[in-house]
Amino acid sequence: MNQMPGVCLPSSGPSFTPKQGQYLAFIHAYTLVLGRPPAEADMQRHFRVTPPSVHQMVLALERAGLIRRQPGVARSIQVLVDPQGLPPLSPSIHQLVKSSVQRY
């Protein structure tokens, strides 16, 4: 089989790297849970990267035809990949878990 290592190939649609897959999975999950797409700042917090890194990833996903955005409209990211072809979202390494239980 002629597959490049490190590239996810969904059954239908364009291919994407594992990192791109995580961004796509995050955008999809965020939209499902909160009912609106994430802002770039939300992706920055989740992936613990700089604002320019998030913006470059968004531009790369858009150029690859994996997402669509409306110019001048905030939170307008729309995933164009079939959700069945997305990888499971990995938890953020630095994601804090808050608990209301006090330590003893």
Side-chain angles (χ1 to χ4, degrees):
M1 209 176 224
N2 288 343
Q3 288 190 354
M4 293 174 48
V7 175
C8 301
L9 296 173
S11 56
S12 65
S15 62
F16 48 83
T17 66
K19 186 184 219 179
Q20 289 173 330
Q22 285 302 295
Y23 274 82
L24 293 168
F26 176 79
I27 295 165
H28 176 71
Y30 188 102
T31 304
L32 279 178
V33 171
L34 297 176
R36 64 180 181 177
E40 289 188 9
D42 298 318
M43 291 183 269
Q44 177 191 346
R45 279 189 294 275
H46 178 78
F47 292 106
R48 298 284 179 161
V49 295
T50 63
S53 295
V54 170
H55 188 67
Q56 289 302 312
M57 177 59 79
V58 169
L59 293 177
L61 293 171
E62 190 172 34
R63 274 193 307 270
L66 300 169
I67 63 168
R68 175 177 34 221
R69 298 183 301 154
Q70 291 180 308
V73 179
R75 296 183 182 264
S76 64
I77 297 174
Q78 189 176 18
V79 176
L80 302 177
V81 177
D82 179 5
Q84 298 293 337
L86 295 176
L89 179 61
S90 300
S92 174
I93 297 169
H94 305 288
Q95 203 168 19
L96 299 175
V97 176
K98 293 184 179 181
S99 174
S100 61
V101 178
Q102 293 181 358
R103 290 184 145 171
Y104 293 102

